[in-house]
Amino acid sequence: MADSPSALSSGLHGDPSTRWLQDLMSFAHRHQASDIHFEPSAAGLGVRLRIDGQLQAYPAPNGQWRDRIVSKIKVLSRLDIAEKRLPQDGRLQWSLSDASLSLRVSTLPTVHGEKLVLRLLPTEQRPRAIDSLGYTRDQLHQVRRALASPHGLILVTGPTGSGKSATLMACLQSLLHLSLNITTVEDPVEQMVSGINQVSINEKIGFDFPTALRALLRQDPDVLMVGEIRDLPTAMVAAQAAQTGHLVLSTLHTNTAASAVLRLRHMGVPSDHLAASLRLVCAQRLVRLLCLHCRSQNAPGRWQAVGCPRCQGGYAGRQAVHEVIPMTNELNELVLSDTDALGLEQAAREQGVLSLGDAVANMVAEGLTSQAEADRVSQSEA
């Protein structure tokens, strides 16, 4: 890694395992890690951090601290430290000298002990501005136009970790107004935003997405955000809400925007419901940006990652690339006729829609990322 654990907490009171955890949290914060993995093995406790989307090793703690570290995290997360046979979920706050970290904790029993994953949650109360998400000018126009509609369904698709939730929160932020009742249903709520009514589902007591959505529709909503459409009941409630005067935003796990229609159809949503409700379907990926301090030009207009003390293997930060498909009359006719994803994609290209591959190719041409990173993103479309 570009840095190493510091003696930041040398004056910290407590046992050495606590000081090690403090250094780890400080390191994760400085390098904007999204996740911390504690991975038990026969040899001890391995640690990896996900930085710019890539897992990277961190110096392991003393093997004798393993149980103390796991127990401390579970206690702070208000988990049952005696329960080691079942997965558990919790949250904790960790104070640093210059920041307070909010973390979501997940435990998983393995053959060598409990594996812990800590997700570092956004601490700011205000999401990013919608015009800072990496949309092209035309894409931003299409997104704003869909958000200005009083009703309809807007979908953001992509794999886990592609920034879908951040995009939805930025969209909701752009809609914040005293005249609108905006409510979200999330699993769980990760970023608290002032002015938005946020609901966290609890499937253990039967409070799932469909149940929460039906309740919210009796709360006089204008805008609804559903954290994820996972099943037919959720999809049907969302589609029906979008047809009855509500603007609905949600996410779906598909590789491309066009394949979202196919996924919903396979769930059991009738094509006429899709054509009547869909306003905009987007796909996105997060692309690693080349470090401007050490990138090397290996051909005219082509740059490659090198690596220096200021970056992570030649990359520093990430930016989203998008495919934005506005549902025109022509595309809705194709949806009604049960056209497959390939047919929808071809029609979208004819209407000038930029594919994810084309979007990241433009970043390569601008020297923002490498061809290797572009190839990785393009492969994820397949």
Side-chain angles (χ1 to χ4, degrees), residues 45-72:
L45 187 67
V47 181
R48 292 190 292 173
L49 293 86
R50 191 175 294 279
I51 300 174
D52 290 341
Q54 306 294 307
L55 281 173
Q56 303 182 32
Y58 183 89
N62 186 311
Q64 297 178 345
W65 302 345
R66 170 172 155 173
D67 291 341
R68 257 181 291 173
I69 288 171
V70 172
S71 294
K72 183 175 183 65

Side-chain angles (χ1 to χ4, degrees), residues 154-173:
I154 297 174
L155 290 177
V156 179
T157 76
T160 300
S162 58
K164 300 185 298 297
S165 295
T167 294
L168 289 189
M169 295 311 295
C171 289
L172 293 182
Q173 176 71 30

Side-chain angles (χ1 to χ4, degrees), residues 355-370:
S355 70
L356 287 171
D358 290 338
V360 74
N362 290 341
M363 291 182 65
V364 172
E366 295 170 12
L368 298 177
T369 194
S370 66

Side-chain angles (χ1 to χ4, degrees), residues 130-263:
I130 193 173
D131 56 4
S132 70
L133 297 179
Y135 290 114
T136 67
R137 184 173 60 180
D138 289 343
Q139 288 174 338
L140 184 59
H141 171 73
Q142 296 290 355
V143 172
R144 289 190 182 280
R145 183 176 179 182
L147 291 171
S149 175
H151 57 83
L153 177 60
I154 297 174
L155 290 177
V156 179
T157 76
T160 300
S162 58
K164 300 185 298 297
S165 295
T167 294
L168 289 189
M169 295 311 295
C171 289
L172 293 182
Q173 176 71 30
S174 73
L175 293 171
L176 271 180
H177 194 276
L178 284 176
S179 65
L180 292 178
N181 175 14
I182 302 175
T183 306
T184 73
V185 185
E186 304 170 66
D187 181 25
V189 172
E190 293 192 348
Q191 182 178 18
M192 312 292 185
V193 181
S194 178
I196 296 177
N197 305 293
Q198 295 175 269
V199 176
S200 185
I201 71 169
N202 186 344
E203 293 186 342
K204 291 181 181 178
I205 61 172
F207 189 53
D208 54 14
F209 277 117
T211 302
L213 275 173
R214 293 188 193 100
L216 292 184
L217 290 175
R218 296 190 289 270
Q219 292 277 313
D220 187 31
D222 297 296
V223 181
L224 294 172
M225 190 275 269
V226 184
E228 181 185 346
I229 294 179
R230 300 174 179 172
D231 50 39
L232 178 59
T234 305
M236 287 300 297
V237 176
Q240 289 165 0
Q243 295 177 64
T244 56
H246 307 90
L247 184 63
V248 182
L249 290 74
S250 190
T251 70
L252 201 64
H253 284 118
T254 61
N255 288 335
T256 65
S259 60
V261 175
L262 188 64
R263 174 73 184 279

